[in-house]
Amino acid sequence: RHADSKQLSAGEADLKLQLSHAELASFVGEEAAGRLDALFRRFSGGEEKEYTVKIRRVEAVAGGRCINFHTDVSRRTMQVRLNSGRDYDGGQLVFATEEGLVATSREAGSATLHDSSIAHGVSLHTRGVRYSLFFLDSPADAPRAA
């Protein structure tokens, strides 16, 4: 609902909002926020450092929209799918691997983790609204805080 209200006021089809850790806990509950934090920290080598959390709301537009293949600026990314694939058509996360393209099939609440070396994109999103949480480590070329 938070993303929906911001979406309506911004009038955007693709909205990204940064969340504080307290806001995340209020949306998903303290226990779930703690599990997500532990998972992302484990993926990040157990580092006790700050990271960014964003909620993303993407609404299908006429003719559809995709995200071209790219690598992330963030050193590590964890994406958590927040709603069911029945709520939208397309919008599937696709990785480019040495074996070819790999499309993910994820349930709401599942997480996908990757580092900045993995090329990925999103297939044509043609109907509905897709919601995701993103956990982002510092940019790959940013100086590391001591």
Side-chain angles (χ1 to χ4, degrees), residues 59-84:
E59 187 171 344
V61 296
R65 166 188 278 154
C66 66
I67 298 175
N68 292 331
F69 282 96
H70 63 281
T71 56
D72 289 342
V73 173
S74 174
R75 286 175 13 128
R76 294 176 186 91
T77 300
M78 179 170 77
Q79 183 186 125
V80 181
R81 184 173 174 171
L82 294 179
N83 61 326
S84 167

PDB file of all heavy atoms in Angstrom, residues 59-84:
ATOM      1  N   GLU A  59       4.353  -1.221 -12.836  1.00  0.00           N
ATOM      2  CA  GLU A  59       3.045  -1.424 -13.459  1.00  0.00           C
ATOM      3  C   GLU A  59       3.246  -1.605 -14.956  1.00  0.00           C
ATOM      4  O   GLU A  59       4.011  -0.877 -15.580  1.00  0.00           O
ATOM      5  CB  GLU A  59       2.167  -0.209 -13.183  1.00  0.00           C
ATOM      6  CG  GLU A  59       0.745  -0.375 -13.644  1.00  0.00           C
ATOM      7  CD  GLU A  59      -0.140   0.766 -13.164  1.00  0.00           C
ATOM      8  OE1 GLU A  59       0.263   1.504 -12.248  1.00  0.00           O
ATOM      9  OE2 GLU A  59      -1.233   0.900 -13.730  1.00  0.00           O
ATOM     10  N   ALA A  60       2.538  -2.585 -15.516  1.00  0.00           N
ATOM     11  CA  ALA A  60       2.619  -2.796 -16.960  1.00  0.00           C
ATOM     12  C   ALA A  60       2.105  -1.558 -17.687  1.00  0.00           C
ATOM     13  O   ALA A  60       1.196  -0.886 -17.223  1.00  0.00           O
ATOM     14  CB  ALA A  60       1.796  -4.018 -17.358  1.00  0.00           C
ATOM     15  N   VAL A  61       2.722  -1.261 -18.813  1.00  0.00           N
ATOM     16  CA  VAL A  61       2.302  -0.136 -19.641  1.00  0.00           C
ATOM     17  C   VAL A  61       1.858  -0.682 -20.994  1.00  0.00           C
ATOM     18  O   VAL A  61       2.180  -1.812 -21.357  1.00  0.00           O
ATOM     19  CB  VAL A  61       3.443   0.903 -19.817  1.00  0.00           C
ATOM     20  CG1 VAL A  61       3.805   1.537 -18.488  1.00  0.00           C
ATOM     21  CG2 VAL A  61       4.667   0.275 -20.464  1.00  0.00           C
ATOM     22  N   ALA A  62       1.134   0.116 -21.755  1.00  0.00           N
ATOM     23  CA  ALA A  62       0.678  -0.300 -23.085  1.00  0.00           C
ATOM     24  C   ALA A  62       1.869  -0.746 -23.915  1.00  0.00           C
ATOM     25  O   ALA A  62       2.886  -0.062 -23.965  1.00  0.00           O
ATOM     26  CB  ALA A  62      -0.060   0.853 -23.764  1.00  0.00           C
ATOM     27  N   GLY A  63       1.778  -1.903 -24.521  1.00  0.00           N
ATOM     28  CA  GLY A  63       2.866  -2.430 -25.331  1.00  0.00           C
ATOM     29  C   GLY A  63       3.900  -3.194 -24.520  1.00  0.00           C
ATOM     30  O   GLY A  63       4.789  -3.819 -25.063  1.00  0.00           O
ATOM     31  N   GLY A  64       3.798  -3.139 -23.197  1.00  0.00           N
ATOM     32  CA  GLY A  64       4.722  -3.866 -22.332  1.00  0.00           C
ATOM     33  C   GLY A  64       6.030  -3.119 -22.121  1.00  0.00           C
ATOM     34  O   GLY A  64       6.319  -2.126 -22.786  1.00  0.00           O
ATOM     35  N   ARG A  65       6.769  -3.598 -21.154  1.00  0.00           N
ATOM     36  CA  ARG A  65       8.075  -3.021 -20.837  1.00  0.00           C
ATOM     37  C   ARG A  65       8.992  -4.141 -20.360  1.00  0.00           C
ATOM     38  O   ARG A  65       8.562  -5.028 -19.640  1.00  0.00           O
ATOM     39  CB  ARG A  65       7.920  -1.986 -19.726  1.00  0.00           C
ATOM     40  CG  ARG A  65       9.249  -1.599 -19.105  1.00  0.00           C
ATOM     41  CD  ARG A  65       9.101  -0.735 -17.891  1.00  0.00           C
ATOM     42  NE  ARG A  65       8.914   0.626 -18.343  1.00  0.00           N
ATOM     43  CZ  ARG A  65       8.290   1.554 -17.660  1.00  0.00           C
ATOM     44  NH1 ARG A  65       7.787   1.282 -16.495  1.00  0.00           N
ATOM     45  NH2 ARG A  65       8.187   2.773 -18.124  1.00  0.00           N
ATOM     46  N   CYS A  66      10.234  -4.090 -20.789  1.00  0.00           N
ATOM     47  CA  CYS A  66      11.227  -5.047 -20.308  1.00  0.00           C
ATOM     48  C   CYS A  66      12.422  -4.255 -19.774  1.00  0.00           C
ATOM     49  O   CYS A  66      12.519  -3.047 -19.958  1.00  0.00           O
ATOM     50  CB  CYS A  66      11.653  -6.017 -21.398  1.00  0.00           C
ATOM     51  SG  CYS A  66      12.554  -5.254 -22.754  1.00  0.00           S
ATOM     52  N   ILE A  67      13.314  -4.952 -19.094  1.00  0.00           N
ATOM     53  CA  ILE A  67      14.568  -4.351 -18.646  1.00  0.00           C
ATOM     54  C   ILE A  67      15.677  -5.086 -19.384  1.00  0.00           C
ATOM     55  O   ILE A  67      15.807  -6.318 -19.261  1.00  0.00           O
ATOM     56  CB  ILE A  67      14.745  -4.465 -17.129  1.00  0.00           C
ATOM     57  CG1 ILE A  67      13.624  -3.709 -16.416  1.00  0.00           C
ATOM     58  CG2 ILE A  67      16.114  -3.937 -16.701  1.00  0.00           C
ATOM     59  CD1 ILE A  67      13.620  -3.858 -14.906  1.00  0.00           C
ATOM     60  N   ASN A  68      16.429  -4.363 -20.187  1.00  0.00           N
ATOM     61  CA  ASN A  68      17.500  -4.967 -20.971  1.00  0.00           C
ATOM     62  C   ASN A  68      18.546  -5.619 -20.064  1.00  0.00           C
ATOM     63  O   ASN A  68      18.682  -5.253 -18.897  1.00  0.00           O
ATOM     64  CB  ASN A  68      18.179  -3.912 -21.847  1.00  0.00           C
ATOM     65  CG  ASN A  68      17.263  -3.408 -22.942  1.00  0.00           C
ATOM     66  OD1 ASN A  68      16.392  -4.113 -23.409  1.00  0.00           O
ATOM     67  ND2 ASN A  68      17.459  -2.168 -23.331  1.00  0.00           N
ATOM     68  N   PHE A  69      19.299  -6.543 -20.644  1.00  0.00           N
ATOM     69  CA  PHE A  69      20.361  -7.200 -19.883  1.00  0.00           C
ATOM     70  C   PHE A  69      21.382  -6.169 -19.431  1.00  0.00           C
ATOM     71  O   PHE A  69      21.722  -5.240 -20.161  1.00  0.00           O
ATOM     72  CB  PHE A  69      21.026  -8.297 -20.718  1.00  0.00           C
ATOM     73  CG  PHE A  69      20.190  -9.538 -20.773  1.00  0.00           C
ATOM     74  CD1 PHE A  69      19.338  -9.762 -21.835  1.00  0.00           C
ATOM     75  CD2 PHE A  69      20.236 -10.468 -19.748  1.00  0.00           C
ATOM     76  CE1 PHE A  69      18.539 -10.897 -21.880  1.00  0.00           C
ATOM     77  CE2 PHE A  69      19.456 -11.602 -19.777  1.00  0.00           C
ATOM     78  CZ  PHE A  69      18.601 -11.823 -20.844  1.00  0.00           C
ATOM     79  N   HIS A  70      21.842  -6.343 -18.204  1.00  0.00           N
ATOM     80  CA  HIS A  70      22.790  -5.409 -17.596  1.00  0.00           C
ATOM     81  C   HIS A  70      23.473  -6.094 -16.415  1.00  0.00           C
ATOM     82  O   HIS A  70      23.062  -7.184 -16.005  1.00  0.00           O
ATOM     83  CB  HIS A  70      22.051  -4.152 -17.093  1.00  0.00           C
ATOM     84  CG  HIS A  70      21.062  -4.453 -16.005  1.00  0.00           C
ATOM     85  ND1 HIS A  70      19.815  -4.973 -16.267  1.00  0.00           N
ATOM     86  CD2 HIS A  70      21.144  -4.330 -14.660  1.00  0.00           C
ATOM     87  CE1 HIS A  70      19.170  -5.159 -15.128  1.00  0.00           C
ATOM     88  NE2 HIS A  70      19.963  -4.773 -14.125  1.00  0.00           N
ATOM     89  N   THR A  71      24.490  -5.474 -15.889  1.00  0.00           N
ATOM     90  CA  THR A  71      25.061  -5.871 -14.602  1.00  0.00           C
ATOM     91  C   THR A  71      24.796  -4.730 -13.635  1.00  0.00           C
ATOM     92  O   THR A  71      24.701  -3.569 -14.037  1.00  0.00           O
ATOM     93  CB  THR A  71      26.567  -6.177 -14.695  1.00  0.00           C
ATOM     94  OG1 THR A  71      27.230  -5.040 -15.229  1.00  0.00           O
ATOM     95  CG2 THR A  71      26.835  -7.399 -15.576  1.00  0.00           C
ATOM     96  N   ASP A  72      24.658  -5.053 -12.372  1.00  0.00           N
ATOM     97  CA  ASP A  72      24.313  -4.048 -11.376  1.00  0.00           C
ATOM     98  C   ASP A  72      25.528  -3.245 -10.931  1.00  0.00           C
ATOM     99  O   ASP A  72      26.656  -3.732 -10.940  1.00  0.00           O
ATOM    100  CB  ASP A  72      23.697  -4.713 -10.144  1.00  0.00           C
ATOM    101  CG  ASP A  72      22.308  -5.243 -10.412  1.00  0.00           C
ATOM    102  OD1 ASP A  72      21.679  -4.817 -11.402  1.00  0.00           O
ATOM    103  OD2 ASP A  72      21.840  -6.084  -9.627  1.00  0.00           O
ATOM    104  N   VAL A  73      25.283  -2.033 -10.509  1.00  0.00           N
ATOM    105  CA  VAL A  73      26.317  -1.201  -9.895  1.00  0.00           C
ATOM    106  C   VAL A  73      26.604  -1.719  -8.491  1.00  0.00           C
ATOM    107  O   VAL A  73      27.737  -1.721  -8.037  1.00  0.00           O
ATOM    108  CB  VAL A  73      25.862   0.275  -9.862  1.00  0.00           C
ATOM    109  CG1 VAL A  73      26.833   1.127  -9.076  1.00  0.00           C
ATOM    110  CG2 VAL A  73      25.688   0.805 -11.266  1.00  0.00           C
ATOM    111  N   SER A  74      25.576  -2.188  -7.823  1.00  0.00           N
ATOM    112  CA  SER A  74      25.709  -2.732  -6.480  1.00  0.00           C
ATOM    113  C   SER A  74      26.615  -3.968  -6.500  1.00  0.00           C
ATOM    114  O   SER A  74      26.528  -4.786  -7.421  1.00  0.00           O
ATOM    115  CB  SER A  74      24.327  -3.113  -5.963  1.00  0.00           C
ATOM    116  OG  SER A  74      24.394  -3.766  -4.736  1.00  0.00           O
ATOM    117  N   ARG A  75      27.467  -4.115  -5.490  1.00  0.00           N
ATOM    118  CA  ARG A  75      28.346  -5.296  -5.412  1.00  0.00           C
ATOM    119  C   ARG A  75      27.540  -6.582  -5.311  1.00  0.00           C
ATOM    120  O   ARG A  75      27.879  -7.591  -5.898  1.00  0.00           O
ATOM    121  CB  ARG A  75      29.278  -5.208  -4.200  1.00  0.00           C
ATOM    122  CG  ARG A  75      30.387  -4.230  -4.346  1.00  0.00           C
ATOM    123  CD  ARG A  75      31.220  -4.092  -3.079  1.00  0.00           C
ATOM    124  NE  ARG A  75      30.980  -5.124  -2.097  1.00  0.00           N
ATOM    125  CZ  ARG A  75      31.927  -5.854  -1.527  1.00  0.00           C
ATOM    126  NH1 ARG A  75      33.172  -5.660  -1.805  1.00  0.00           N
ATOM    127  NH2 ARG A  75      31.624  -6.765  -0.622  1.00  0.00           N
ATOM    128  N   ARG A  76      26.484  -6.536  -4.516  1.00  0.00           N
ATOM    129  CA  ARG A  76      25.611  -7.687  -4.337  1.00  0.00           C
ATOM    130  C   ARG A  76      24.171  -7.204  -4.290  1.00  0.00           C
ATOM    131  O   ARG A  76      23.882  -6.155  -3.738  1.00  0.00           O
ATOM    132  CB  ARG A  76      25.951  -8.410  -3.031  1.00  0.00           C
ATOM    133  CG  ARG A  76      27.319  -9.038  -3.052  1.00  0.00           C
ATOM    134  CD  ARG A  76      27.636  -9.668  -1.688  1.00  0.00           C
ATOM    135  NE  ARG A  76      29.002 -10.135  -1.661  1.00  0.00           N
ATOM    136  CZ  ARG A  76      30.037  -9.404  -1.255  1.00  0.00           C
ATOM    137  NH1 ARG A  76      29.856  -8.176  -0.838  1.00  0.00           N
ATOM    138  NH2 ARG A  76      31.248  -9.905  -1.249  1.00  0.00           N
ATOM    139  N   THR A  77      23.292  -8.027  -4.849  1.00  0.00           N
ATOM    140  CA  THR A  77      21.866  -7.685  -4.883  1.00  0.00           C
ATOM    141  C   THR A  77      21.060  -8.896  -4.437  1.00  0.00           C
ATOM    142  O   THR A  77      21.316 -10.014  -4.867  1.00  0.00           O
ATOM    143  CB  THR A  77      21.431  -7.292  -6.312  1.00  0.00           C
ATOM    144  OG1 THR A  77      22.202  -6.165  -6.733  1.00  0.00           O
ATOM    145  CG2 THR A  77      19.953  -6.965  -6.384  1.00  0.00           C
ATOM    146  N   MET A  78      20.079  -8.630  -3.588  1.00  0.00           N
ATOM    147  CA  MET A  78      19.101  -9.654  -3.237  1.00  0.00           C
ATOM    148  C   MET A  78      17.735  -9.080  -3.593  1.00  0.00           C
ATOM    149  O   MET A  78      17.393  -7.972  -3.184  1.00  0.00           O
ATOM    150  CB  MET A  78      19.150 -10.000  -1.744  1.00  0.00           C
ATOM    151  CG  MET A  78      18.123 -11.063  -1.355  1.00  0.00           C
ATOM    152  SD  MET A  78      18.340 -11.710   0.329  1.00  0.00           S
ATOM    153  CE  MET A  78      17.651 -10.373   1.304  1.00  0.00           C
ATOM    154  N   GLN A  79      16.978  -9.830  -4.387  1.00  0.00           N
ATOM    155  CA  GLN A  79      15.641  -9.403  -4.799  1.00  0.00           C
ATOM    156  C   GLN A  79      14.633 -10.366  -4.189  1.00  0.00           C
ATOM    157  O   GLN A  79      14.773 -11.588  -4.325  1.00  0.00           O
ATOM    158  CB  GLN A  79      15.527  -9.420  -6.319  1.00  0.00           C
ATOM    159  CG  GLN A  79      14.200  -8.912  -6.808  1.00  0.00           C
ATOM    160  CD  GLN A  79      14.038  -9.073  -8.299  1.00  0.00           C
ATOM    161  OE1 GLN A  79      13.073  -9.665  -8.733  1.00  0.00           O
ATOM    162  NE2 GLN A  79      14.951  -8.554  -9.077  1.00  0.00           N
ATOM    163  N   VAL A  80      13.635  -9.819  -3.526  1.00  0.00           N
ATOM    164  CA  VAL A  80      12.579 -10.626  -2.908  1.00  0.00           C
ATOM    165  C   VAL A  80      11.268 -10.318  -3.620  1.00  0.00           C
ATOM    166  O   VAL A  80      10.830  -9.173  -3.657  1.00  0.00           O
ATOM    167  CB  VAL A  80      12.450 -10.319  -1.399  1.00  0.00           C
ATOM    168  CG1 VAL A  80      11.362 -11.189  -0.776  1.00  0.00           C
ATOM    169  CG2 VAL A  80      13.786 -10.518  -0.689  1.00  0.00           C
ATOM    170  N   ARG A  81      10.686 -11.333  -4.174  1.00  0.00           N
ATOM    171  CA  ARG A  81       9.413 -11.173  -4.869  1.00  0.00           C
ATOM    172  C   ARG A  81       8.307 -11.043  -3.836  1.00  0.00           C
ATOM    173  O   ARG A  81       8.191 -11.862  -2.923  1.00  0.00           O
ATOM    174  CB  ARG A  81       9.172 -12.395  -5.757  1.00  0.00           C
ATOM    175  CG  ARG A  81       7.946 -12.304  -6.594  1.00  0.00           C
ATOM    176  CD  ARG A  81       7.911 -13.484  -7.529  1.00  0.00           C
ATOM    177  NE  ARG A  81       6.666 -13.505  -8.244  1.00  0.00           N
ATOM    178  CZ  ARG A  81       6.435 -14.319  -9.252  1.00  0.00           C
ATOM    179  NH1 ARG A  81       7.354 -15.152  -9.656  1.00  0.00           N
ATOM    180  NH2 ARG A  81       5.287 -14.294  -9.860  1.00  0.00           N
ATOM    181  N   LEU A  82       7.477 -10.008  -3.951  1.00  0.00           N
ATOM    182  CA  LEU A  82       6.459  -9.743  -2.940  1.00  0.00           C
ATOM    183  C   LEU A  82       5.059 -10.197  -3.319  1.00  0.00           C
ATOM    184  O   LEU A  82       4.217 -10.364  -2.434  1.00  0.00           O
ATOM    185  CB  LEU A  82       6.424  -8.246  -2.609  1.00  0.00           C
ATOM    186  CG  LEU A  82       7.681  -7.706  -1.942  1.00  0.00           C
ATOM    187  CD1 LEU A  82       7.542  -6.216  -1.695  1.00  0.00           C
ATOM    188  CD2 LEU A  82       7.984  -8.449  -0.657  1.00  0.00           C
ATOM    189  N   ASN A  83       4.788 -10.381  -4.595  1.00  0.00           N
ATOM    190  CA  ASN A  83       3.441 -10.813  -4.962  1.00  0.00           C
ATOM    191  C   ASN A  83       3.492 -11.983  -5.931  1.00  0.00           C
ATOM    192  O   ASN A  83       4.527 -12.289  -6.515  1.00  0.00           O
ATOM    193  CB  ASN A  83       2.587  -9.655  -5.495  1.00  0.00           C
ATOM    194  CG  ASN A  83       3.137  -8.992  -6.737  1.00  0.00           C
ATOM    195  OD1 ASN A  83       4.345  -8.878  -6.911  1.00  0.00           O
ATOM    196  ND2 ASN A  83       2.247  -8.527  -7.595  1.00  0.00           N
ATOM    197  N   SER A  84       2.354 -12.601  -6.073  1.00  0.00           N
ATOM    198  CA  SER A  84       2.219 -13.800  -6.893  1.00  0.00           C
ATOM    199  C   SER A  84       2.350 -13.484  -8.378  1.00  0.00           C
ATOM    200  O   SER A  84       1.927 -12.418  -8.834  1.00  0.00           O
ATOM    201  CB  SER A  84       0.857 -14.433  -6.620  1.00  0.00           C
ATOM    202  OG  SER A  84       0.554 -15.420  -7.578  1.00  0.00           O
TER     203      SER A  84
END
